[in-house]
Amino acid sequence: MISRRSLLTTALTLGAMKAFPGLSYAQARPLVFATFTGSWEEAHKAVLVPAFRKANADAAIVLDPMLSVDQIAKINAARANPPIDVMLHDPGPALVAIGQDLAEPYPVEKSAYYKDLIAEAQEPMGPAPFFQVVGLTYNPETIKKPPTSWADLWNPEFKGRVGITNLNSTLGTGWLVEVARMHGGSEANIDPGFKALEALKPNLAAVAANPGALATLFQQGQVDISPGNFNAIQILKARGVPVEFVAPKEGAIAFKTTIHIVKNSPNKELAFKLIEASLSPEVQTTLMNSPYLIVPTNAKVPMGGEIARVLARDTEELKKKFVFQDWKKINEQRSAWIERFNREIKI
């Protein structure tokens, strides 16, 4: 079946080839940006893409939302002529993509904004435009006492009401590491986490395929409590869905999201300009505000609003209050963890 996106891409490409007969198919196609599903796709469609098009003569761009693991697989399948120009990754997949030589070095020397990023966001193989934060999500209409700890998910009161994601997402894997740590494990010792997951089964209502699907389960009233992304919850709240976010006493998980020019992209210059737009104070300020509430990395963007109230007043406070994980260590065994999770965690 031909999707609407495929039809749009083909139409834009054929139009460009007609206007410039010397172009090949790969050179003529619009810029393809592989964002994440759910709230990320919504935020980028509403804010980043319009800012990019406004600054670049209404240049053609197509969003192709998918998980990081799928981005890497898709590019690996066509390295010489990649179907994606810009990829978005959480820390674990970013290390994989760079290790597999799928990313171009970012042209730092011609960037207007790279030097303004906080030090942790200055990644020469792909800067980080945003931080993500994972904590506890719950429905305040059905759960009257707000949870305070990851351990609350095991409360017998929540039998058949807990949602989690599988380990293909950073949310799922990062949360499992914290569960392991809570029981004496770590990035290097995940067994206590799997043992705790086995004990969680009576409480599980669903294992979502990705964070976007988990948000949908809240919207449909199929789960009442789960680990969740801060910004995804804010979009649900803006829609009137009864849901709240709380940072657990063990520390919420914080990780940076990096954005990369795909190696061999026929649209390298436009890819650079899209990334520049994502680093700009204007885009980061807009995405920091309701309903997106994505944590900015440009030091010229002061944290404010709900982010300053709930998470941190500045990046220094964020670094003190939140948990940062060793994704290099996690990546060493992540594939085995995913296989084990898919084999053992079924409801």
Side-chain angles (χ1 to χ4, degrees):
M1 180 181 291
I2 300 175
S3 67
R4 183 179 175 188
R5 183 184 300 126
S6 297
L7 286 171
L8 176 61
T9 303
T10 302
L12 289 168
T13 303
L14 291 175
M17 292 178 73
K18 186 176 181 181
F20 304 98
L23 291 178
S24 68
Y25 183 86
Q27 291 170 324
R29 67 164 172 75
L31 183 73
V32 178
F33 172 29
T35 181
F36 299 148
T37 58
S39 60
W40 287 92
E41 180 186 5
E42 293 180 34
H44 289 154
K45 187 182 295 182
V47 180
L48 177 56
V49 168
F52 162 76
R53 297 187 72 183
K54 182 179 179 181
N56 294 284
D58 215 21
I61 178 171
V62 173
L63 287 179
D64 196 2
M66 67 184 88
L67 291 172
S68 285
V69 291
D70 296 327
Q71 294 178 37
I72 291 171
K74 202 168 181 179
I75 296 168
N76 259 322
R79 281 174 169 260
N81 183 21
I84 296 168
D85 301 297
V86 179
M87 53 184 172
L88 191 69
H89 289 307
D90 293 337
L95 290 172
V96 173
I98 293 168
Q100 294 182 358
D101 197 25
L102 302 182
E104 291 276 351
Y106 194 65
V108 173
E109 67 286 351
K110 69 175 186 178
S111 171
Y113 305 114
Y114 187 87
K115 65 181 185 309
D116 296 331
L117 302 180
I118 61 175
E120 289 80 2
Q122 293 187 12
E123 296 285 353
M125 291 302 293
F130 320 108
F131 270 126
Q132 294 187 63
V133 180
V134 174
L136 283 159
T137 302
Y138 69 100
N139 181 339
E141 292 185 354
T142 57
I143 296 177
K144 299 302 181 184
K145 183 180 178 183
T148 60
S149 165
W150 297 124
D152 288 336
L153 296 173
W154 279 259
N155 188 328
E157 177 186 348
F158 301 140
K159 183 176 181 179
R161 301 166 67 188
V162 174
I164 60 174
T165 66
N166 65 31
L167 300 197
N168 284 336
S169 69
T170 299
L171 166 62
T173 298
W175 174 72
L176 179 60
V177 168
E178 291 315 296
V179 171
R181 202 187 311 280
M182 191 169 61
H183 294 279
S186 67
E187 289 93 335
N189 177 18
I190 205 68
D191 283 346
F194 273 101
K195 186 176 180 181
L197 278 183
E198 187 66 28
L200 184 65
K201 282 183 177 178
N203 281 14
L204 287 180
V207 178
N210 53 61
L214 184 62
T216 300
L217 293 174
F218 269 101
Q219 202 164 8
Q220 296 171 342
Q222 296 186 41
V223 301
D224 289 327
I225 185 169
S226 77
N229 282 323
F230 175 75
N231 62 309
I233 298 315
Q234 307 312 316
I235 287 183
L236 286 183
K237 286 180 70 174
R239 290 176 181 160
V241 178
V243 64
E244 293 290 346
F245 176 95
V246 63
K249 66 182 183 183
E250 295 86 1
I253 307 162
F255 51 88
K256 55 193 174 187
T257 299
T258 51
I259 188 166
H260 307 263
I261 300 172
V262 174
K263 192 162 189 177
N264 299 325
S265 161
N267 289 317
K268 287 179 186 175
E269 187 59 25
L270 283 177
F272 168 72
K273 290 178 177 177
L274 176 70
I275 295 173
E276 282 291 281
S278 75
L279 305 180
S280 70
E282 294 78 12
V283 166
Q284 293 207 2
T285 298
T286 303
L287 289 177
M288 181 183 65
N289 292 323
S290 179
Y292 307 113
L293 300 180
I294 294 172
V295 181
T297 58
N298 189 316
K300 290 188 174 180
V301 180
M303 292 191 187
E306 191 73 0
I307 287 177
R309 188 183 72 81
V310 176
L311 295 180
R313 289 166 295 183
D314 52 41
T315 50
E316 289 305 312
E317 185 177 12
L318 186 146
K319 285 188 281 188
K320 290 177 183 174
K321 289 176 61 177
F322 293 92
V323 173
F324 293 87
Q325 299 173 327
D326 183 350
W327 280 90
K328 186 175 180 181
K329 178 61 77 175
I330 290 172
N331 276 0
E332 291 175 3
Q333 300 187 65
R334 190 179 181 191
S335 295
W337 297 354
I338 291 173
E339 288 181 15
R340 181 176 175 182
F341 182 94
N342 293 339
R343 187 173 62 249
E344 297 182 4
I345 310 303
K346 296 176 180 175
I347 59 173

